[in-house]
Amino acid sequence: MKNKISTTFLLGVAICMFQPAFSGNGETKNNSNKPPQPFQFAEGVTMRDYEANTIVLKLKPEYRNLAQKNSINIAKLTGILSEIGAQDLHKIFPNHTAPDSRTPTDEMGHKFADITLIYKLNFTKGIAIEKAINQIIATGLVEYAEPYYIYHTFGEATTVEDVKNTLAAFNVNDPSLGQQYFIKKIKCPEAWGVNTTTARGDTNVVIGIVDTGTDLDHPDLKTKIKYNYNDPINGIDDDHDGYIDNFRGWDVSDNDNNPNVDNTTNIHGSHVSGCAAAATNNGVGVASPGFNCKFLPIKAAKKTTTGQIDNGFEAIVYGADHGCSVLNNSYGGPGAGQFGQDIITYAAINKKVLVVASAGNDNKDIVNYPAAYDYVLSIGATDQNDNKSSFSTFTNSVDVCAPGTAIYSTVYPKTYQLMDGTSMAGPITAGAAGIVKSFFPTYTGMQVGEQLRVTADDIYGVGSNKSYKDRLGTGRINLFRALTETTSPSVKMDPLKVTDGNDESFAIGDTLIIKGSLLNYLAATKNLTATLSTTNTDVTILNATINGGVINTMSKFDVDNTNGFKVLIKPSASLNEKILFKVSFADGSYSDRQYFTVIVNVDYINIDINDVSCTNTSRGRIGYNTTNLSEGGLGFNYNDTSSLVYEAGLMIGTSSTKVSDNLRSSSTASDTDFKSVQAVKRRIPTVKSDFETFGVFNDSGASSKIGVEVKHNTYAWTSAGDRKYIIYEYIIKNTSGSALTNLYAGLMVDWDVTALTSGNNKVGADVNNKLGYAYATTGSKLYGGVRVLTNGPFLNYGIDNVTGGAGGFDATTNFTTAEKYTALSTNRLTAGGTTPTGNDIMNVVSTGPFTISSNDTVKVAFAILAGDDLADLIKSSNNAQTKYDKVVTAISDVKLVNGFLLKQNYPNPVNAANTIIEFNLPAKAQAELSIYNTVGQKVMTVLNSQLNAGDHQVNLDVSNFNNGLYFYELTTGNNKAVMKMVIQK
């Protein structure tokens, strides 16, 4: 099974998506000192995948004493809830208690889930659900806020002809057994014949069926329901569990005690019930793998829907609380959030339940949820010949397969039918799991799942299955082997952590360390080895093997910086490259595997050391790496708010036909003029501030190129008075071959300053302080702004981002090149309409015009700021100006000696195989460039040549240099200039 950590984890600026095996810890990073990530929908999610105008949130535990059943007594949060029109706020699980803080984890180190602070609400204001969610996140009071996801079933009727089989081993007398090939395929008769008691199931082992309901009167089902004799149907909650008359299960969606399917169009759950637990050897109808195990019907579909699971997670909690050892979930979809993971963790870790879920019927290499959550046994489907079913999803997160094609089982009303789907493979596996739990009663749910997984039959040699290698799990389940083969271990690396031991940017030249723990769930290992591999040639594995040796049952072996895997990122790695790794486990005849992905050479860096946090990218965008939220970035946050900006970045223009940027051009598209030359890196050690980045891009992607190359730097400080801004500096070089005139450079920002809608902002300007700003007219009424720090004119163009433009140009559908140049080169000091509440706004803060000779440069710098009010914003902007004047510009990046210029190499520190050194000679001269170590020894003569006057560039190969401090020296005659260079590969 897989610890399918399918949500995205940010490690510094690198993203790691772990897909190790089922037995993972599921623990996400939760650093309360960092702003929460803004919400965004995952790829593939549509409106059918979540409940309209509905939000689920989890309050941070430090506010527990303010959390009531139907209210949260925190003014900051209730104010936001009021503004979005929140209704019916309520705890989803009001009768539960939080885990004991003295024992926060299970025996394997998995953290228990706290579901006591999870609320659900509806909102009535006509705003996008993303806006409403991000306003709740912006309070800093919640662990998460997200849509309430709904799912759809993975099964449908089939017209495949009946598949006959003959029976061996323990013979049962169900007359339709000949139509159930899967019973023999997974070796049920042989398993049932192992002994006469527990191998046929324990009636105290209950399989929960979370689905569209069941057929309470079906002759093959009604005797198998786990009846609650402590609460007979009498109108009283006799067992005091909060549910009146839940004698034969519960309908979670309609909140009543009738879990029967509603009609003949919604029979899915009745078929699934029989796949897992139809009465066996009763002389009626069909058999099931679960034999004597009981099942608990938990209906999670409203009467008004067909094939839609509305309340699956509440149903999972109900089943976990009401004695289920196994919970089957034959449904799913692309929607994923921390709420779902919390519920799975509660069932699997807190309650030791095996959660089984169908992988999906997409016939694609994709993930569906809940199957892809941590601690879920994900099930793919096969046919009667062990081929992958034509419809079955296949992916590295699938744990195991089971028959899912042409499955004959019970359906409402009191009849039988063939159906196809991973919806059928799931409950067949769940029924088998019930037998394993009966046979090994001390096993936890995860051990039951692992036992099925490690004893599955390898089917990769069947038909075309080899083309799905490792994406059908360990094979097709074999119940007989699961009961009789007990010598295999089952080892997973969990947790699995990736670090570079430094800035966590996973850059070219970095050595990654992969560490964590090797957990063993089953029989003790004797001489375990774990080996790391990849087919990707852009990394070199330096340490490929971990020797785990002997790891006892339910024990672990720690992997640290010393004995962990080590991987070098090579210069050939492309930007944002996903490296798929495989960990192979071996111990005698035991072998297993686990996959995870690391994204390396990321072309953006998050800056989050003070009260504002922001992202610098390699292509001139600020806040987000691509169009709002889609590929990483913090936005621009202040004091743990969600982002105050929707989109931001640099624009450079010389005319109404030539503006270069990577910002929106229309409501659905963006310009891609800037291309990275040197991906943004963090400078370590810093030279001028507490956090620095640098990089280079040009406008080679523009259809009408200006011809510029831009070196960019960012600076941030932690000192008092300097915590509310980040400085962005651009050195713009003219590479066009001729002089550039009328050049303006500025930052465009689409502000959403804590407004519930984009219609609650205004733009203003403080010309004396060269500050353009925006502020919210509702809610917290914060301010955000941009100040020009370099010499030159200040311009601020406010844009009313509304139809018609409110007196300016209309950028709502098309933001044209001419409009961009207008915004760069002219003033419109205010925006936001004439009403007190304002509207959706943007502004462009710029400076210019400049004339730049060929190969010459101009430097422009801006501070992007946030504040509690305008006075606070102005104060911080003045502090930024002081820092820039007295620190940034006072520490030179160049050495000027008697007319010749030696520049700071880049990148510096050097974390790649090469670095660039530039210098300028005022006249033709014999020039020598040499490298020295810290004790004055010459390491290399880079060049010693007669050179012409002008700019020169040297690409220095440092691949053979050791890490450390060096000096490079340029001499011409009696003139000498020296600068420092740090190599940190």
Side-chain angles (χ1 to χ4, degrees):
M1 286 198 240
K2 279 225 171 65
N3 171 13
K4 298 157 288 268
I5 306 181
S6 302
T7 47
T8 302
F9 291 78
L10 293 176
L11 300 179
V13 298
I15 302 173
C16 293
M17 290 195 336
F18 302 143
Q19 291 182 333
F22 154 77
S23 51
N25 68 0
E27 183 176 350
T28 58
K29 292 187 172 183
N30 180 22
N31 185 343
S32 59
N33 295 320
K34 300 297 183 185
Q37 292 293 299
F39 169 76
Q40 57 181 307
F41 280 113
E43 182 179 357
V45 175
T46 65
M47 293 182 66
R48 76 188 290 265
D49 299 311
Y50 59 92
E51 197 170 303
N53 299 326
T54 304
I55 296 173
V56 60
L57 64 88
K58 184 177 182 181
L59 195 67
K60 287 182 176 179
E62 53 263 41
Y63 305 109
R64 186 180 304 278
N65 63 335
L66 302 174
Q68 306 302 314
K69 181 178 180 180
N70 295 300
S71 64
I72 301 172
N73 299 326
I74 307 174
K76 186 177 181 181
L77 181 58
T78 55
I80 292 294
L81 296 182
S82 175
E83 291 192 49
I84 68 173
Q87 295 181 342
D88 191 27
L89 174 73
H90 63 278
K91 282 187 175 182
I92 301 179
F93 307 106
N95 299 321
H96 286 69
T97 57
D100 190 336
S101 60
R102 295 169 297 180
T103 53
T105 67
D106 70 1
E107 66 274 24
M108 300 293 273
H110 301 128
K111 188 176 180 180
F112 293 122
D114 180 4
I115 64 173
T116 62
L117 296 174
I118 301 174
Y119 288 80
K120 187 178 180 182
L121 63 89
N122 300 315
F123 65 93
T124 59
K125 288 291 180 68
I127 58 176
I129 191 170
E130 300 98 313
K131 285 274 189 181
I133 287 171
N134 280 323
Q135 288 310 305
I136 294 172
I137 292 173
T139 65
L141 301 171
V142 299
E143 288 191 2
Y144 57 79
E146 59 193 46
Y148 186 84
Y149 290 108
I150 54 181
Y151 299 110
H152 298 82
T153 54
F154 288 143
E156 59 184 23
T158 179
T159 58
V160 175
E161 301 213 356
D162 296 352
V163 182
K164 307 290 184 182
N165 70 221
T166 56
L167 191 63
F170 184 83
N171 291 297
V172 295
N173 60 11
D174 304 274
S176 296
L177 186 66
Q179 296 176 253
Q180 296 183 283
Y181 74 91
F182 64 93
I183 294 292
K184 183 178 181 182
K185 178 61 70 173
I186 67 170
K187 304 295 184 183
C188 288
E190 291 85 346
W192 297 334
V194 170
N195 62 38
T196 58
T197 54
T198 56
R200 296 176 203 163
D202 187 333
T203 57
N204 291 312
V205 172
V206 181
I207 303 165
I209 304 297
V210 177
D211 216 288
T212 63
T214 192
D215 187 349
L216 296 172
D217 296 321
H218 199 292
D220 248 350
L221 295 176
K222 63 183 180 181
T223 62
K224 296 299 300 299
I225 295 171
K226 185 65 174 180
Y227 294 107
N228 178 15
Y229 294 101
N230 293 321
D231 195 357
I233 299 175
N234 59 8
I236 301 171
D237 181 11
D238 298 274
D239 58 358
H240 307 293
D241 66 348
Y243 302 91
I244 297 173
D245 297 349
N246 55 333
F247 175 64
R248 50 186 184 180
W250 194 254
D251 181 344
V252 174
S253 290
D254 293 312
N255 197 32
D256 60 42
N257 70 339
N258 180 18
N260 210 56
V261 299
D262 295 313
N263 50 59
T264 56
T265 63
N266 216 15
I267 61 173
H268 185 271
S270 60
H271 194 277
V272 167
S273 300
C275 289
T280 303
N281 204 34
N282 66 338
V284 176
V286 296
S288 71
F291 210 120
N292 290 322
C293 296
K294 297 290 187 178
F295 81 97
L296 184 67
I298 314 168
K299 186 170 177 281
K302 292 184 174 67
K303 291 182 174 68
T304 56
T305 62
T306 299
Q308 179 172 298
I309 302 300
D310 306 284
N311 298 94
F313 294 123
E314 290 91 334
I316 288 171
V317 170
Y318 181 93
D321 289 345
H322 286 83
C324 293
S325 297
V326 182
L327 279 165
N328 183 76
N329 305 268
S330 290
Y331 54 85
Q338 189 56 43
F339 169 58
Q341 185 59 70
D342 273 352
I343 299 310
I344 298 299
T345 302
Y346 175 80
I349 304 303
N350 298 36
K351 294 292 188 175
K352 307 297 185 186
V353 176
L354 173 62
V355 182
V356 176
S358 302
N361 297 349
D362 307 276
N363 190 29
K364 296 178 181 178
D365 188 350
I366 62 173
V367 294
N368 286 297
Y369 297 87
Y373 279 124
D374 300 350
Y375 315 134
V376 177
L377 189 69
S378 174
I379 312 300
T382 52
D383 66 13
Q384 54 267 35
N385 297 315
D386 276 340
N387 293 293
K388 183 191 82 70
S389 295
S390 60
F391 50 80
S392 181
T393 296
F394 52 93
T395 178
N396 288 329
S397 69
V398 169
D399 294 306
V400 76
C401 287
T405 297
I407 304 302
Y408 195 66
S409 181
T410 55
V411 292
Y412 173 86
K414 303 179 186 179
T415 187
Y416 304 87
Q417 184 175 319
L418 284 166
M419 293 185 76
D420 282 343
T422 54
S423 274
M424 288 61 251
I428 288 171
T429 304
I435 298 297
V436 174
K437 176 65 177 177
S438 301
F439 201 75
F440 302 106
T442 62
Y443 274 10
T444 66
M446 290 222 275
Q447 285 181 296
V448 170
E450 289 299 326
Q451 182 66 14
L452 281 167
R453 213 179 57 78
V454 300
T455 58
D457 288 344
D458 186 342
I459 58 172
Y460 287 109
V462 175
S464 62
N465 287 351
K466 64 182 179 181
S467 62
Y468 305 105
K469 182 63 176 172
D470 287 349
R471 292 179 292 174
L472 302 177
T474 54
R476 190 253 308 127
I477 61 169
N478 183 322
L479 183 56
F480 178 70
R481 291 182 62 193
L483 299 190
T484 58
E485 297 180 14
T486 58
T487 60
S488 175
S490 182
V491 179
K492 305 301 159 200
M493 195 167 184
D494 171 28
L496 187 154
K497 302 176 181 178
V498 184
T499 178
D500 65 3
N502 191 358
D503 63 354
E504 309 298 359
S505 66
F506 299 0
I508 287 171
D510 280 351
T511 296
L512 305 182
I513 301 171
I514 300 163
K515 58 184 181 179
S517 296
L518 302 181
L519 303 187
N520 180 26
Y521 289 88
L522 297 176
T525 64
K526 297 180 176 64
N527 186 25
L528 179 82
T529 59
T531 304
L532 185 71
S533 63
T534 181
T535 59
N536 194 299
T537 59
D538 293 326
V539 294
T540 298
I541 298 177
L542 304 177
N543 180 32
T545 303
I546 298 170
N547 295 307
V550 176
I551 308 177
N552 290 323
T553 303
M554 297 296 282
S555 298
K556 62 183 179 178
F557 174 83
D558 290 331
V559 180
D560 56 25
N561 290 344
T562 302
N563 62 355
F565 298 125
K566 294 181 174 63
V567 178
L568 175 68
I569 304 172
K570 295 165 65 174
S572 57
S574 59
L575 291 176
N576 303 308
E577 182 170 3
K578 295 181 180 180
I579 310 291
L580 179 65
F581 291 100
K582 179 180 180 179
V583 181
S584 300
F585 302 100
D587 184 47
S589 61
Y590 165 71
S591 64
D592 208 342
R593 83 286 181 273
Q594 172 175 333
Y595 285 91
F596 65 98
T597 299
V598 180
I599 300 182
V600 303
N601 201 18
V602 179
D603 63 344
Y604 64 94
I605 290 184
N606 295 329
I607 306 167
D608 58 0
I609 66 164
N610 55 33
D611 294 339
V612 293
S613 57
C614 195
T615 296
N616 191 27
T617 76
S618 297
R619 294 166 290 175
R621 291 181 60 87
I622 294 173
Y624 299 110
N625 197 33
T626 59
T627 304
N628 181 44
L629 300 178
S630 62
E631 285 188 14
L634 297 174
F636 180 67
N637 302 274
Y638 172 54
N639 280 342
D640 296 340
T641 64
S642 61
S643 181
L644 305 186
V645 304
Y646 182 84
E647 184 179 23
L650 179 70
M651 298 197 306
I652 301 172
T654 58
S655 72
S656 61
T657 60
K658 286 190 176 183
V659 175
S660 293
D661 64 88
N662 269 36
L663 300 166
R664 74 183 67 174
S665 57
S666 71
S667 59
T668 58
S670 295
D671 288 325
T672 56
D673 303 330
F674 291 140
K675 301 296 182 182
S676 176
V677 175
Q678 166 68 53
V680 64
K681 305 294 181 187
R682 184 176 176 185
R683 183 177 287 117
I684 300 175
T686 60
V687 177
K688 304 178 182 183
S689 67
D690 298 318
F691 193 107
E692 298 177 13
T693 74
F694 62 93
V696 183
F697 56 83
N698 60 30
D699 70 338
S700 60
S703 57
S704 296
K705 300 178 184 63
I706 298 172
V708 290
E709 181 180 83
V710 182
K711 294 180 182 178
H712 55 107
N713 302 289
T714 61
Y715 305 98
W717 290 265
T718 59
S719 52
D722 302 304
R723 297 183 57 83
K724 298 183 180 182
Y725 65 84
I726 298 171
I727 291 176
Y728 281 74
E729 180 185 63
Y730 305 95
I731 299 97
I732 304 169
K733 181 178 181 179
N734 176 4
T735 60
S736 69
S738 59
L740 294 175
T741 59
N742 295 316
L743 183 142
Y744 292 84
L747 299 185
M748 187 282 280
V749 185
D750 182 341
W751 295 99
D752 284 340
V753 188
T754 63
L756 294 175
T757 72
S758 56
N760 295 122
N761 285 182
K762 284 181 175 286
V763 169
D766 181 339
V767 176
N768 291 332
N769 287 303
K770 302 171 73 171
L771 174 66
Y773 58 85
Y775 59 98
T777 61
T778 61
S780 300
K781 299 185 179 180
L782 298 179
Y783 277 69
V786 175
R787 175 163 177 157
V788 176
L789 300 174
T790 42
N791 293 329
F794 159 77
L795 299 100
N796 181 73
Y797 195 96
I799 302 171
D800 287 278
N801 197 26
V802 296
T803 302
F809 55 75
D810 184 351
T812 57
T813 55
N814 291 294
F815 195 12
T816 67
T817 299
E819 290 169 343
K820 289 179 179 180
Y821 190 70
T822 296
L824 281 169
S825 59
T826 58
N827 272 314
R828 186 173 186 255
L829 296 180
T830 63
T834 59
T835 63
T837 56
N839 57 36
D840 190 9
I841 54 90
M842 304 188 292
N843 76 324
V844 177
V845 176
S846 61
T847 184
F850 301 104
T851 298
I852 313 176
S853 301
S854 178
N855 291 319
D856 204 354
T857 62
V858 66
K859 182 184 293 186
V860 298
F862 307 89
I864 183 166
L865 317 101
D868 299 316
D869 51 40
L870 182 57
D872 189 33
L873 196 74
I874 292 172
K875 180 180 178 181
S876 287
S877 80
N878 290 333
N879 292 345
Q881 188 71 65
T882 299
K883 277 290 188 188
Y884 189 74
D885 292 342
K886 295 186 176 180
V887 176
V888 176
T889 59
I891 301 175
S892 178
D893 291 325
V894 300
K895 288 290 177 106
L896 182 63
V897 179
N898 292 336
F900 78 85
L901 186 73
L902 179 63
K903 299 182 180 181
Q904 182 68 59
N905 67 299
Y906 68 91
N908 186 48
V910 185
N911 51 17
N914 298 81
T915 188
I916 294 173
I917 298 173
E918 295 181 331
F919 57 92
N920 180 276
L921 300 181
K924 186 175 182 179
Q926 182 73 23
E928 179 180 340
L929 179 65
S930 299
I931 311 297
Y932 294 84
N933 61 23
T934 55
V935 297
Q937 297 170 323
K938 183 183 287 190
V939 176
M940 173 189 290
T941 298
V942 180
L943 63 84
N944 190 358
S945 305
Q946 188 82 5
L947 300 177
N948 292 325
D951 291 328
H952 299 272
Q953 185 181 91
V954 175
N955 192 348
L956 175 64
D957 183 355
V958 296
S959 57
N960 292 324
F961 284 39
N962 294 323
N963 286 350
L965 177 64
Y966 295 83
F967 300 89
Y968 56 97
E969 178 185 271
L970 178 67
T971 59
T972 60
N974 294 323
N975 299 318
K976 179 188 298 185
V978 180
M979 295 196 76
K980 295 179 181 179
M981 171 176 66
V982 176
I983 297 179
Q984 193 175 59
K985 293 182 288 185

